[in-house]
Amino acid sequence: MSRRIWIGYIALLATCLTGCSARADDPAPLNKPAKDIVPVEKSEAEWREILTDFEFYILREDGTERAGTSPLLQEKRQGVFVCKACDLPLFHSKTKYESGSGWPSFWRPIKKGHVLDVPDYKYGWNRTENECARCRSHLGHVFKDGPRPTGLRYCINGAALKFIPAED
């Protein structure tokens, strides 16, 4: 193997190993927050006070819950899914669908600029991560294999969401 290939391989490996770096090093989002959103910034200690250890792992450390474990997979009522960390409305139940992926899936955010798309190169391949536009918490990823009308699948960790049922 040539020296150039080895250098490229080592650079890719270093990217994979350091992929879970601090959020300050994350790339800029591909879209902008809605104009009416006021950012929420908290210290790590403040986030730990309001989130469980598992929620902190998902939302603040870009974790992923095991497929099929979220109770929100079975949620069929009308309502809104909000960010578990800051209560920003993210998805309406009308856009939720069964994707077979094992995670709650939606074909569109509730409002433009509430869910940010961020390039994600953490594990050596190019994906698009989703973050809450208000608190920049990790939600999941979006893929281009969803249903019409958008063709998108927002594959979201249930632990990143809180369901607010519609009032009767």
Side-chain angles (χ1 to χ4, degrees):
M1 206 180 298
S2 74
R3 180 182 169 142
R4 178 179 241 166
I5 292 173
W6 270 109
I7 291 171
Y9 176 74
I10 292 169
L12 176 61
L13 183 61
T15 300
C16 293
L17 293 174
T18 61
C20 295
S21 61
R23 298 188 75 78
D25 295 339
D26 287 350
L30 300 171
N31 54 337
K32 295 180 182 177
K35 292 182 191 272
D36 60 338
I37 292 179
V38 177
V40 169
E41 295 182 21
K42 296 182 185 294
S43 68
E44 179 178 332
E46 290 172 314
W47 284 121
R48 287 192 181 278
E49 284 181 29
I50 63 171
L51 300 170
T52 67
D53 289 343
F54 186 64
E55 291 165 352
F56 186 88
Y57 164 70
I58 300 294
L59 292 156
R60 306 308 305 166
E61 296 180 322
D62 301 343
T64 301
E65 64 195 8
R66 281 190 353 258
T69 61
S70 173
L72 293 181
L73 278 170
Q74 307 309 317
E75 185 57 68
K76 307 285 188 219
R77 296 176 289 171
Q78 291 296 308
V80 175
F81 295 86
V82 302
C83 176
K84 183 69 93 42
C86 73
D87 292 331
L88 180 69
L90 300 172
F91 299 96
H92 193 282
S93 61
K94 292 178 185 173
T95 64
K96 184 175 183 282
Y97 72 100
E98 178 53 55
S99 69
S101 67
W103 288 274
S105 297
F106 306 87
W107 50 267
R108 181 181 68 208
I110 198 164
K111 186 176 177 187
K112 187 175 181 179
H114 280 220
V115 175
L116 299 180
D117 296 336
V118 179
D120 178 0
Y121 307 106
K122 290 182 189 87
Y123 297 107
W125 66 88
N126 183 8
R127 299 188 296 174
T128 301
E129 177 184 359
N130 295 131
E131 292 181 352
C132 171
R134 181 185 287 156
C135 67
R136 298 297 302 266
S137 288
H138 171 74
L139 303 171
H141 292 84
V142 63
F143 302 96
K144 295 178 181 179
D145 61 0
R148 291 181 180 177
T150 64
L152 299 174
R153 172 174 52 100
Y154 289 85
C155 189
I156 307 299
N157 289 291
L161 302 172
K162 179 168 52 176
F163 180 70
I164 310 294
E167 294 182 17
D168 295 331

